Amino acid sequence: EVQLVESGGGLVQPGGSLRLSCAASGFTFSDHYMDWVRQAPGKGLEWVGRSRNKTKSYTTDYAASVKGRFTISRDNSKNSLYLQMNSLKTEDTAVYYCARSPTRDYWGQGTLVTVSS
Amino acid sequence: QSVLTQPPSASGTPGQRVTISCSGSSSNIGSNNVNWYQQFPGTAPKLLIYTNNQRPSGVPDRFSGSKSGTSASLAISGLQSEDEADYHCAAWDDSLNGVLFGGGTKLTVL
């Protein structure tokens, strides 16, 4: 059974940093693209970024809104995906989901990040 | 601001057929596949339709997707009360080099 479990969310002050994790199981992690998607309170879904698979050398892409501040990485030995978030802004407040890509056929339960002073 | 445009709301009565539109451009829907997601309050989205018109295993055939040019549609036939949810479309955008989501459509079953 495919499972994705996010962790690492919490309250952080503007300008601060946070690292989210996504633990994957039930599939060959290195074979798959993985996305981070976020949802601000009461708003729609927003794609944050992507980590491609081994075939594509694990290259990454980012939304313009987070490029230069967020970094996606993965540890295939731990079947884990990470999202390092720096220089956080209040508008980054959202539930962050990891999803198996490119169709996003499986999603984690999400982890809430609140950026507030 | 979403570049894929969905109506913010839609509604129908039980048994009715409802369609939700998703409008884009040549750099996204016009040249890439569209996926649709269903989301209930407080829960993660669920893949409903992939590659424009394909249903994952377990998704009832009441749900169907289509694409024409730079627009896509999700149709729900035989509407049921449990279909009341938010629906989101998504597609890769070649110009932005990223995924775009629509703003989401809240479906109400009257």
Side-chain angles (χ1 to χ4, degrees):
Chain A
E1 179 194 5
V2 172
Q3 279 199 319
L4 299 171
V5 180
E6 301 95 338
S7 60
L11 175 64
V12 61
Q13 291 189 336
S17 298
L18 208 57
R19 188 199 197 205
L20 305 184
S21 299
C22 169
S25 60
F27 64 101
T28 305
F29 183 67
S30 58
D31 286 350
H32 286 268
Y33 290 25
M34 296 293 297
D35 284 356
W36 284 101
V37 177
R38 68 183 180 183
Q39 188 169 35
K43 302 296 184 182
L45 300 172
E46 180 187 14
W47 180 78
V48 172
R50 168 172 293 176
S51 170
R52 293 183 177 81
N53 61 9
K54 181 178 181 181
T55 303
K56 294 293 186 179
S57 304
Y58 307 118
T59 54
T60 53
D61 280 315
Y62 300 92
S65 58
V66 307
K67 197 168 187 177
R69 299 189 300 124
F70 290 11
T71 302
I72 297 173
S73 61
R74 59 198 296 165
D75 184 337
N76 295 303
S77 68
K78 296 182 178 179
N79 290 339
S80 291
L81 181 74
Y82 304 102
L83 180 65
Q84 177 67 44
M85 303 185 294
N86 298 332
S87 303
L88 282 161
K89 306 175 182 179
T90 55
E91 52 263 41
D92 294 319
T93 293
V95 174
Y96 285 73
Y97 298 99
C98 64
R100 193 174 77 167
S101 199
T103 59
R104 288 167 295 281
D105 55 349
Y106 290 93
W107 296 66
Q109 84 288 352
T111 187
L112 176 62
V113 173
T114 303
V115 184
S116 174
S117 55
Chain B
Q1 184 176 354
S2 306
V3 179
L4 299 186
T5 303
Q6 296 181 239
S9 63
S11 63
T13 56
Q16 200 172 20
R17 183 176 187 269
V18 170
T19 61
I20 296 172
S21 62
C22 176
S23 178
S25 69
S26 57
S27 62
N28 42 69
I29 293 178
S31 51
N32 293 289
N33 292 321
V34 177
N35 301 321
W36 289 90
Y37 305 88
Q38 179 188 55
Q39 185 181 29
F40 296 105
T43 69
K46 167 193 167 185
L47 179 65
L48 199 62
I49 297 288
Y50 67 98
T51 314
N52 306 319
N53 55 18
Q54 301 299 301
R55 280 187 310 277
S57 173
V59 172
D61 59 7
R62 302 186 295 105
F63 294 91
S64 62
S66 64
K67 187 182 97 167
S68 179
T70 59
S71 292
S73 292
L74 172 70
I76 310 171
S77 59
L79 196 63
Q80 299 180 4
S81 58
E82 55 261 41
D83 297 333
E84 190 163 286
D86 293 327
Y87 293 85
H88 309 269
C89 61
W92 181 265
D93 188 286
D94 294 329
S95 297
L96 298 175
N97 211 35
V99 176
L100 288 177
F101 282 93
T105 298
K106 183 176 181 60
L107 175 63
T108 301
V109 181
L110 303 170

